[in-house]
Amino acid sequence: MKYAYFPGCVGQDSCKELDVSTKLISDVLGIELVELEDATCCGAGFVQDVNYDLALALNARTLAIAEKLHLDILTVCSTCQFNLDRANRELKDDPKKLAGVNKMLAEIGLRYSGTVEIKHLLWVLVDEVGLAELQRRVKVDLSDLNVASFYGCQLIRPGTLHGYDDPDRPQYFERLIEALGGKPVDYEERKKCCGFPITFVNEDASMRMNAKNMLAAKGKGADVMATSCPLCHINLDMYQGKAEKVSGQRIELPILHLPQLVGLAIGIPPERLLMKRHIVSTKSVARAVKPKEEAKIPAMGS
Amino acid sequence: MNRYDVLVLGGGLAGAMAARAASAAGADVAVVSKLHPLRSHTVAAAGGINAALAEGDSWEGHAFDTIKGSDYLADQDSVEIVCREAAAAVVEMDHLGTPFSRDEAGKLFNRPFGGHGLPRAYFAGDRTGLSLMQTAWEQLVANEITVYNEWAGTSLIVEEGRFAGLIAYNVADGRLDEFQAKAVVICTGPGGQMYGKTTNAVTCTGDGLAMALRAGGALKDMEFVQFHPTSLHGPNILITEAARGEGGIMKNAKGERFMERYSPKMLDMAPRDIVSRAIQTEANEGRAYPEGYVDLDLTHLGAERIRERLPEVHEFAVNFAGVDPAEKPIPIEPAQHYIMGGIATDNQGATNVPGIYAAGECACVSLHGANRLGGNALLECIVFGKLAGSAAAEFAQKHAQVEGGAAALSTDDRRIDGLMASEGTERVERIRQELKRVMWERVGIYRNDSDMTLAVGAVEDLQRRYANVRVGAKNTKFNYALLEAMELRNLLDLAEVIAKCALIRQESRGAHARTDYPKRNDASWLKHSLAWLRGDRVEITYEPVRITKWEPKERTY
Amino acid sequence: MGAEGADVLVAMIKVYRFDPEDGRGARYDEFEVDAAPGRTVLDLLHDIHYNEDPTLSFRRSCQSAICGSCAMNVNGRTGLTCSTQAKPLLDRDGYLVVEPMKNMPILKDLVVDMDGFWESVHDVDPFLQAGRKVPKGPYIVPKARMELLKIAQDCIMCGSCLSECTSREANPDYLGPAALAKAYRFVADERDEARHGRLMVYSEANGIWDCDTCLYCNEVCPIHVKPMDAIMRMREMSIEAGIQSQGSKHAIAFYDTILKSGKLNEFATANKSLGLKGMVAQSGVATKIILHWKTPEIRKKPIEGVKDVTKLANLIERKKRRGTRR
């Protein structure tokens, strides 16, 4: 398993724990990551709002760079996944558009012929590392942990774009949680929007959404929430206090990134997963993790 | 008390255009509609709207095709009006925003339609009806015209021989109310739900026709019922004629292009009545599939062309029949589709009852005579909707309000109370299904004396049984069971008229095909039937066909 | 009508019931139905209404997915019941449940109050505002430009999108996907002369910038309209037209950091889009971020290929000025 790693922006900045934990678990699980250090932001929908053509060109550039390496792209952010996927699909479906974009890429010494696939870490973990292998790698007992997944809209919709999960009944995250030994929480809001895209426009509405999602998860017994999108993480974790204020209710729900959950399960200590960085304390999660047997912590770089 | 100058009953394309015209003429208008206007059956019309806009075409050509298509029963002065106005109507709708399909250069794009000598159907993708309806409704919004949504008309009030108002039933809360006005334009659209197989919506129960009949109006040419040849077998969803216009070919179970036998020149693009009868003959003679359907083959068009030119056909085939038209033929069968007959009006949309006007499918001017050509229905709605709306406004300006709806209101009140209180043994749905079966089997595509005589008797029997019907739902809000009971009464009355008129007409003409009188007989039957309700009985009279330029000839394609 | 020759498939279906008059409150009734292949959810509802319980209320008309009457929430997803096959849902979930649309008050059983929906649509002035230069004949509009309307023009106003709209759920004043798709249909129409005024109105609060891009509308639309795409296009058009709003401020701030360094500068974006006042209002959040060492970088090191970004941006700018746009 070798991938061109698209780290995204937030995952290496305010949520750099995402990048760190991604690399740690990839190392252990044998996913070789070739980081696309020169790739631009995917646009996150905001560049698209201002200049759709430029966003498309920038993503085409990223795809061309990966294609040169003869590698598919791995993402760790639902928003990156959607924006890259959308660009890829547009270019693949429309030869005229691809030709037009390639004319521009030629001026920067690149060319894209439409051969790259983009996969989110969640799908790679389930489909390629495999649930059986993950299960085998689990070094701790997570049976006390009720884990609520939060996909992030753009990972599961639209159903016609990604092709991995049924947008009405997504299961990849839940199957992963089970394989890791945790108990997935069944609640409707796991498919909903975290509110991040409108946090800077209508904070009130964003926080209402935000609070509702987390309270629903808690209502179904969640001890922790795990998300596949760092932008969701910002709303869920950084803005959890605001969500509490707007809803008038306590939430106190620790929010993990997907690779942090996996890392915990395969025995990587919370400190190395930078779980202390989170605004909402993750101590309760660390406490709920029990040793399976004599837990063997893999040495770095093995 | 709701008081207006002009009421429009029905918010579909004809109704919306009538309301707009009446409002533009200065009348205080309100639309009263059983459904939200955008839910009207207009939206199901696919294919196109005809106009002689292209170079080399002429309104006379359009008129001739229409008159020939009508098997020479159309009133030619009415046809002239519509065909002359057609180009302006299409341009007006374009100016109001209808997103007609264009070619690369930006000009309106047209395509061939059955029975027309030249391609003259203008369309908006696969959804011309939807697009025109949107435009018409948008104009209601733009002009802030009042619409009473989900109010079903129950009776027209006629006092001193003149229209005085309308009683309507509010579906949302179950109450009856009176609407006073000086004129009404009835635009209630189709009434095909009396047939077992119909492309009509469940709500198409001909309410306006029945109300007009009871108010003293005449129903003209009701025996002429059009059967669309290509409805999707099973749910009877209309598969647009445009599917053949784009190159689709019909084949029987043996794989033969059977239209070679029935219409050697126009083949699959022959007029609807000819195609419907062709398919029915194939079925009767054992060459169709056992359930009575044939194949419509689009596979040779390729997936891309189908997706681009016939997106809706593709959706339907996949969603409702589980068939991909690029890979397999679509199962199609005829179904009732349109009623050429309707409320008799003059060229201004006026009926014989002063103040009552009608336009659209529910009216019969007559534009379509014995058989309607595709693309002319939407056109009729626009042209006659406007004419009737303007005429109604003018009438309202010249006349005072006639008072007195109290009696009508209490009659309808009692009727509803009776239905609600009834402990009768008959179920609405049972009677409805039996009606649908008898009409399909006995007054359908192929007719004969004994079948139709049986039908008349059967319908009268169902009417007697209806007196004993129970609704089974006592709630007031959104009591659709009660609404269905009221609609059934209308269907029964209309079915009686259709069966009787069809029985009497001893010839075959257009869509009225009799195995016992297979030929057209102009000498005896070049005339329109008029059905009246006199007391309790349906009486039928006749009036001549208005001929201007085109001498009736044999109709071959 | 079931599929020809198919066996009857008995199944249980749960239907939401509510009658404000009977004092029983909301409940679910269970019915036995035939869910053979080919039967739609509307077929099942009809069976119940006609043969078992005539008090069941639901809207429907055309039964061919074009009138928009029969939108309901089936197994958690809103769509047209007339074109929703029952068996595949049963196979997938092991149950069938039909509920009224969401985000709209329930009037009776499966019938909802769509007044709020229609109000939002009316609010965008959903009719052509033609200019003074109306041609004698039809407008000349090249196919490619008329087709810009394609992502929005076929909307049948069924309400499915609004039912699923997460933004509307959190903010009942948000215009919503159907209204905004309709808005776009006119903004993109060359024959409409009110484009700038429209975009100004739609850029205000509760308009195009309040969409949270959750993609539910694009996903559930039964007629394949793309309301979210329409909203995004209007965002770009309004920025191009120089129309300012809180949303455009944020998007432009984000965009500027990409031009500058190729990657997002979170700090600068928040700063520029919120302004000093806004940043102060965020001080609670900001304090926590600082205490947890989660502050984003204040200055972003440009990627090596940042000159590529500049180059591509210039090429596109030139293309736009020449008039070749998407």
Side-chain angles (χ1 to χ4, degrees), chain C residues 98-117:
Chain C
V98 184
E99 296 167 290
M101 285 201 276
K102 303 174 243 185
N103 288 337
M104 290 173 249
I106 301 168
L107 292 173
K108 177 163 187 304
D109 296 340
L110 302 164
V111 179
V112 295
D113 183 352
M114 288 189 73
D115 282 355
F117 173 88

Side-chain angles (χ1 to χ4, degrees), chain B residues 450-520:
Chain B
S450 63
D451 276 348
M452 288 188 284
T453 306
L454 264 159
V456 169
V459 171
E460 287 174 342
D461 185 53
L462 288 171
Q463 284 169 322
R464 278 188 290 275
R465 285 171 57 188
Y466 177 83
N468 204 15
V469 85
R470 80 179 252 132
V471 168
K474 302 264 191 236
N475 53 290
T476 59
K477 297 186 194 301
F478 294 100
N479 188 337
Y480 286 108
L482 174 63
L483 184 60
E484 284 150 22
M486 295 195 282
E487 289 169 338
L488 178 59
R489 177 176 171 236
N490 296 334
L491 287 174
L492 285 165
D493 287 352
L494 294 180
E496 181 188 351
V497 168
I498 292 176
K500 283 184 174 165
C501 291
L503 175 61
I504 297 181
R505 180 175 289 268
Q506 289 173 337
E507 66 154 358
S508 284
R509 181 187 298 266
H512 177 68
R514 293 186 62 149
T515 50
D516 48 2
Y517 294 92
K519 288 211 178 315
R520 195 175 98 194

Side-chain angles (χ1 to χ4, degrees), chain A residues 14 17 38 159 203 208 212 278, chain C residues 169-170 219 266 282 292 305:
Chain A
S14 71
E17 66 273 9
D38 208 29
E203 194 182 278
R208 274 199 288 276
K212 183 165 188 253
H278 297 200
Chain C
E169 188 188 343
E219 174 66 30
E266 293 180 59
Q282 299 292 334
H292 285 257

